[in-house]
Amino acid sequence: MTAAISFKGLSRHFGDVRAVDSVDLEIGAGEFFVLLGPSGSGKTTCLRLIAGFERPTAGRIWIFGEDATAAPPYRRPVNTVFQDYALFPHLNVRDNVAYGLMVRGDAKAARRKSADEALALVALDGFGDRKPSELSGGQRQRVALARALVMQPKVLLLDEPLGALDLKLREQMQGELKTLQRQLGIAFVFVTHDQGEALSMGDRVAVFDKGRIQQVGSPEDVYDRPETPFVADFVGASNVLSADMVHDLVGRNAPASLRPEAIRIGFGPLAGVVHARAFLGSATRIEVDCDGQKLKVLIPKGGEVPQMGDSVTLGWSEGALHIMDSANG
Ligand code: ATP
């Protein structure tokens, strides 16, 4: 099957800054694909390269098999939802949604019908006559979504679209976006720096660091089987054990990831002293200093939490220690 988006050796440099640095990537036609990484890692630049707002310094990009490397944005079957929504304050909701159709030259009645259908899709029926200022943040986000969807893109690009929303609304919109993507069956390419959001929404996740992709895989892959210490640490703040420590423990000479929730206190091969404690609500996180290597341990609510300064022994179940043989980060 032809990929929706495909990159080969794609780079975008700004002077000395390698915002995107020789990236190869394929995104499937019906995929919810997440670009995850810290601030400045190149996610937005990558999205802008797909949209055509940026020209690559090197490499090529194909959209549904067609070379789009030099195509202007309006010739690409993609549309973008920006974090700041970028709605026109003087236009009502319907005219905001229909704006692209007007620029394209659609007749008024057809524009109105399409805009109302798009508003229904995002559960905003009946809001067409309001001004953006008369809407909540979540509703404005939905208008921005409707405005992008009304153009019937084959790929929807979303740049941190939920960043401005409070946690509860954010979680609600995550569910709604996921449902909408399934319903429409088009590819969504979603940028976020929030690993929880990436894991809960993505069919696949690409983890970015310094303009490069460190790993692409399912949420389970990047969480349970990180390929580099960077991925282990960034996705779920795992413990990264040094190669020396792993050698002492299991005889292999490579770093390993060990999830804080996989560690049990009481019996095992490591001993250390509790030197930090943080109550998180549903769990307590402690940090144990094992001869200079600090390990985070997550104790679920109801579990016995040791005191600061206590000596403890740490163990884990078989398979919890994930050795990163191919580590380069
Ligand atoms: P954030 O989550 O903060 O938006 P990001 O991962 O999306 O970050 P980018 O916006 O793609 O990162 O930026 C990647 C790097 O490229 C950064 O170092 C940024 O400063 C730089 N950069 C991006 N756009 C430009 C530009 N137009 N001119 C110069 N440098 C730029």
Side-chain angles (χ1 to χ4, degrees), residues 14 17 19 37-46 54 160 191 193:
F14 299 101
V17 178
S39 182
S41 58
K43 312 174 299 286
T44 296
T45 305
C46 212
E54 293 287 350
E160 304 244 10
V191 165
H193 60 262

Side-chain angles (χ1 to χ4, degrees), residues 21-22 35 39 54 62 75 85 95 124 127 133 141 153 215 235 238 240 244 296 314:
D21 193 16
S22 197
L35 310 181
S39 182
E54 293 287 350
W62 290 264
R75 290 231 182 275
Y85 317 151
D95 291 343
L124 279 184
F127 283 72
S133 59
Q141 174 59 70
Q215 186 172 354
V235 183
S238 190
V240 177
D244 282 350
K296 293 175 287 256
L314 305 179

Side-chain angles (χ1 to χ4, degrees), residues 180-247:
L180 192 62
Q181 188 265 337
R182 289 273 172 275
Q183 194 182 331
L184 295 169
I186 64 172
F188 276 29
V189 185
F190 187 99
V191 165
T192 182
H193 60 262
D194 178 333
Q195 51 100 5
E197 190 160 277
L199 296 178
S200 68
M201 299 182 84
D203 293 322
R204 283 193 307 153
V205 179
V207 185
F208 277 72
D209 181 34
K210 302 192 191 82
R212 288 181 167 250
I213 293 181
Q214 293 255 330
Q215 186 172 354
V216 182
S218 67
E220 291 79 8
D221 283 339
V222 294
Y223 189 85
D224 291 331
R225 294 172 289 281
E227 286 171 6
T228 68
F230 176 84
V231 174
D233 182 50
F234 190 73
V235 183
S238 190
N239 296 298
V240 177
L241 274 53
S242 67
D244 282 350
M245 192 176 217
V246 175
H247 186 262

